[in-house]
């Protein structure tokens, strides 16, 4: 699937730990490794301010009254959250427990070059695409003559051979269930990833998630600007024929949350990769532990529970 993208001009994101400037990687905004959160770390659930809301108690009371009276039109939700027609799933760290595996494969790539790195060295560059993911560390380490395309090719060889074998169980618990629940509610679903298509297909196969589940798959191959630029999410919205204001993004990486915000989409962030404290400044609409912790109420109503009988009326 070939998608066209208009290159966007974005100012570099500020960061206290930005690596040396490189024209090849202008959008990188490193994440301090100290704020990295392993999946096993407990995290509190936090509801952040949604992008669209009415003011104060009156707005909540008005929305609740509409639900109670059954006056909310079919397919729409309470006013402070807004209509939802599509869900855009990031892949690494959201659908697939593959972030650590990707870093391990990247360490192998640098070992082939005789450069000693650790998996933590790659944390600041997660979610930005393989060329930036590898090239960012090469820049920080001062690797001479680094070839991003050759490194990417070797990365995919190692990753597919060692870490992403078909049906190897790398899918997060609850991922398939949430996808199917979204589809049963009439929502369109898409994968929107900064990874190349070869990795997207391998990860979905390893997670046991058929490509046919999704209405669209948007990968990095056709884009010059990857996350935190909004291009991938905007292309997914266009491909699904759904306004960006009606799209919900599910992301784990800071770059992904920033991309969703730049695309003017609501975003549910999960703490499978970064801590809640690291994600909060990017202002996701909601924060949950992992995809299995995201309910259909989170998607449709911004985390507000709605009585089952009232849902039938809606």
């Amino acid at each position: 699937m070939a998608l066209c993208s208009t290159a966007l001009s974005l100012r570099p994101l500020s960061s206290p730990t930005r690596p040396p400037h490189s024209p090849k990687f202008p959008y990188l905004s490193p994440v301090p490794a100290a704020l990295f959160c392993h999946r096993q770390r407990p995290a509190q659930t936090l509801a952040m301010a949604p992008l669209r809301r009415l003011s104060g108690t009156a707005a909540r009371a008005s929305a609740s009254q509409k639900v109670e009276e059954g006056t909310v039109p079919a397919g729409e939700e309470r006013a402070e959250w807004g209509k939802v027609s599509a869900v855009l799933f990031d892949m690494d760290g959201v659908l697939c427990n593959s972030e650590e595996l990707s870093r391990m494969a990247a360490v192998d790539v640098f070992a082939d070059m005789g450069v000693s790195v650790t998996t933590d060295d790659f944390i600041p560059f997660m979610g930005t695409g393989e060329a930036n993911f590898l090239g960012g560390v090469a820049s920080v380490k001062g690797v001479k003559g680094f070839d991003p395309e050759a490194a990417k090719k070797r990365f995919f060889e190692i990753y597919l051979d060692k870490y992403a074998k078909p049906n190897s169980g790398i899918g997060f618990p609850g991922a398939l269930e949430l996808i199917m629940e979204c589809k049963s509610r009439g929502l369109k679903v898409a994968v929107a990833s900064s990874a190349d298509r070869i990795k997207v297909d391998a990860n979905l196969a390893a997670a046991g998630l058929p490509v046919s589940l999704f209405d669209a798959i948007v990968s990095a191959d056709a884009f010059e600007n990857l996350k935190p630029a909004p291009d991938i999410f905007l292309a997914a919205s266009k491909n699904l024929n759904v306004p960006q204001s009606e799209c919900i993004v599910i992301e784990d990486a800071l770059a992904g949350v920033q991309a969703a915000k730049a695309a003017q989409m609501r975003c549910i962030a999960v703490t499978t990769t970064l801590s809640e404290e690291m994600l909060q400044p990017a202002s996701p609409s909601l924060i949950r532990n992992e995809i299995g912790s995201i309910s259909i109420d989170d998607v449709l109503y911004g985390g507000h529970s709605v009585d089952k009988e009232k849902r039938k009326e809606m």
Side-chain angles (χ1 to χ4, degrees):
M1 175 175 61
L3 294 172
C4 295
S5 167
T6 301
L8 303 182
S9 177
L10 301 179
R11 290 180 298 176
L13 298 168
S14 60
S15 170
T17 57
R18 189 176 181 83
H21 175 74
S22 169
K24 291 185 179 180
F25 314 109
Y27 296 107
L28 299 183
S29 179
V31 176
L35 291 172
F36 171 70
C37 176
H38 289 286
R39 184 170 170 250
Q40 291 80 6
R41 174 181 172 179
Q44 295 178 345
T45 298
L46 176 69
M48 302 297 289
L51 297 181
R52 296 174 56 194
R53 64 180 180 185
L54 302 177
S55 59
T57 304
R60 291 189 292 272
S62 174
S64 298
Q65 185 177 4
K66 284 186 178 182
V67 173
E68 290 172 2
E69 294 175 353
T71 59
V72 179
E76 294 190 16
E77 291 72 45
R78 293 185 288 180
E80 72 268 39
W81 184 246
K83 185 177 180 180
V84 177
S85 300
V87 182
L88 313 183
F89 295 89
D90 179 46
M91 181 187 63
D92 291 308
V94 173
L95 295 174
C96 303
N97 189 8
S98 50
E99 293 284 22
E100 177 69 16
L101 300 179
S102 297
R103 294 194 297 274
M104 291 167 64
V107 169
D108 293 343
V109 170
F110 278 81
D112 284 354
M113 296 186 291
V115 179
S116 179
V117 296
T118 70
T119 54
D120 284 353
D121 290 329
F122 296 91
I123 292 171
F125 307 101
M126 292 183 301
T128 61
E130 281 77 27
N132 291 337
F133 178 68
L134 299 166
V137 171
S139 179
V140 170
K141 296 293 184 179
V143 178
K144 303 292 185 181
F146 181 77
D147 183 345
E149 291 306 313
K152 274 179 57 176
K153 180 180 178 181
R154 182 58 181 149
F155 171 83
F156 290 135
E157 290 173 351
I158 294 172
Y159 184 79
L160 271 62
D161 182 59
K162 292 179 65 175
Y163 301 110
K165 295 183 181 298
N167 297 308
S168 55
I170 68 171
F172 274 114
L176 177 60
E177 289 78 3
L178 182 60
I179 293 167
M180 297 307 296
E181 182 73 7
C182 289
K183 291 170 70 72
S184 74
R185 298 301 185 94
L187 304 180
K188 294 181 179 180
V189 294
V191 174
S193 173
S194 280
D196 283 12
R197 184 61 188 256
I198 186 174
K199 188 184 182 191
V200 172
D201 287 345
N203 270 3
L204 293 179
L209 298 173
V211 170
S212 59
L213 279 177
F214 301 96
D215 298 292
I217 293 180
V218 182
S219 57
D221 308 72
F223 298 90
E224 179 181 350
N225 295 328
L226 304 181
K227 303 172 188 177
D231 299 36
I232 286 175
F233 290 140
L234 293 175
S237 169
K238 183 176 181 179
N239 191 274
L240 294 173
N241 196 28
V242 172
Q244 60 206 64
S245 62
E246 297 178 18
C247 293
I248 300 291
V249 171
I250 302 181
E251 265 287 354
D252 70 304
L254 188 62
V257 178
Q258 292 167 332
K261 187 172 182 180
Q264 298 183 318
M265 297 177 182
R266 289 157 288 176
C267 181
I268 302 175
V270 292
T271 59
T272 52
T273 303
L274 301 176
S275 69
E276 183 177 309
E277 291 76 18
M278 189 62 229
L279 291 167
Q280 284 179 13
S283 299
S285 307
L286 298 173
I287 297 180
R288 296 292 185 255
N289 289 350
E290 60 185 33
I291 194 168
S293 303
I294 299 174
S295 70
I296 194 64
D297 282 346
D298 290 334
V299 172
L300 291 175
Y301 316 115
H304 301 287
S305 61
V306 177
D307 183 84
K308 289 183 179 180
E309 292 302 316
K310 301 303 178 186
R311 289 178 191 164
K312 294 179 182 178
E313 300 174 13
M314 297 170 67

